[in-house]
Amino acid sequence: MPRQVAVNFQVTSNSLRFDESEYGAIIGALVYNETKCNFLRHSTFDPTCTTLSLVDLINAPSELGNLHTYQLVRDWPKKQPPSLDNHRQQRFHEYSTSKLWILCDYVLNVEFAKTLSFFQRLPFNDKLLLLKNVALVNCSLVQSYYSYKNKSNTVMFPDGIFPILFTKSPLPVEVIMRCRGVESLIRSKIDKCEYVLLKAIVFTHYREFLS
């Protein structure tokens, strides 16, 4: 019969200690890069006319190093357009919002991803696949978070426009995207550190798509 051996295993505070300075540096870098992205979001930076593909965006030098070439916009010229009666009606984006915000936020999410150390180590095809599956998800998070910070209970673009009002009868999916995300952040009272960590986690959550 096997002899039972008593093992004295003690877990001390020292064995569970982590390097606070290391984690603080990681969070600090995330906040720093997010601050740059948010500046570009509120600046004259506008990728609407870009012809770059996602492949080009990944390979291009980081736009976060070009902040000095853009000016912060304090007074946006556009106002909330009248609501359309239904979704079949057409409206040109340049007459609705100051920027095509979904494109702007998409490009800035790519720029944010390029700052993540694990992303930089991925093979190119994995980078491409990851961004195809995640960048738009984080666009919704970005829009919800900054709307929450502006004390809005629905998505509000930096130019003051509420996209939920684009039609008189929003589709259920629009209500989910434009309202539910903001409401969740209001309930959780998320702060900026938690937000940037969540944003980074979303990028790592889709690892099952990678080769």
Side-chain angles (χ1 to χ4, degrees), residues 92-146:
F92 292 108
H93 284 287
E94 59 265 32
Y95 297 120
S96 301
T97 60
S98 301
K99 297 184 187 181
L100 183 52
W101 290 108
I102 188 64
L103 176 61
C104 179
D105 291 335
Y106 184 87
V107 171
L108 291 178
N109 268 298
V110 173
E111 295 296 341
F112 183 86
K114 286 159 61 175
T115 69
L116 301 174
S117 58
F118 84 88
F119 183 85
Q120 297 166 8
R121 295 193 296 268
L122 290 175
F124 181 81
N125 286 340
D126 285 351
K127 292 179 180 178
L128 186 61
L129 188 59
L130 180 66
L131 289 174
K132 283 182 177 179
N133 285 282
V134 179
L136 280 176
V137 176
N138 260 336
C139 282
S140 179
L141 175 60
V142 168
Q143 293 177 357
S144 295
Y145 174 74
Y146 286 110

Side-chain angles (χ1 to χ4, degrees), residues 39-186:
F39 171 84
L40 289 176
R41 192 170 188 253
H42 288 80
S43 76
T44 52
F45 169 76
D46 189 355
T48 302
C49 297
T50 183
T51 58
L52 296 179
S53 66
L54 180 55
V55 171
D56 296 327
L57 288 173
I58 295 172
N59 287 325
S62 176
E63 199 65 43
L64 301 187
N66 296 328
L67 301 190
H68 62 283
T69 63
Y70 302 103
Q71 299 294 321
L72 186 67
V73 178
R74 301 187 183 278
D75 296 310
W76 297 96
K78 303 297 182 182
K79 302 297 182 183
Q80 183 72 38
S83 297
L84 301 178
D85 291 327
N86 57 66
H87 289 78
R88 289 188 295 273
Q89 289 181 267
Q90 299 294 317
R91 176 190 284 128
F92 292 108
H93 284 287
E94 59 265 32
Y95 297 120
S96 301
T97 60
S98 301
K99 297 184 187 181
L100 183 52
W101 290 108
I102 188 64
L103 176 61
C104 179
D105 291 335
Y106 184 87
V107 171
L108 291 178
N109 268 298
V110 173
E111 295 296 341
F112 183 86
K114 286 159 61 175
T115 69
L116 301 174
S117 58
F118 84 88
F119 183 85
Q120 297 166 8
R121 295 193 296 268
L122 290 175
F124 181 81
N125 286 340
D126 285 351
K127 292 179 180 178
L128 186 61
L129 188 59
L130 180 66
L131 289 174
K132 283 182 177 179
N133 285 282
V134 179
L136 280 176
V137 176
N138 260 336
C139 282
S140 179
L141 175 60
V142 168
Q143 293 177 357
S144 295
Y145 174 74
Y146 286 110
S147 300
Y148 150 71
K149 292 299 290 183
N150 281 309
K151 303 187 184 305
S152 173
N153 62 358
T154 183
V155 166
M156 179 180 71
F157 294 145
D159 56 5
I161 286 180
F162 297 88
I164 195 67
L165 301 180
F166 274 11
T167 56
K168 293 180 180 179
S169 300
L171 297 173
V173 68
E174 290 180 293
V175 175
I176 292 173
M177 292 181 62
R178 305 303 189 188
C179 301
R180 299 293 181 258
V182 183
E183 292 170 358
S184 296
L185 298 183
I186 292 173

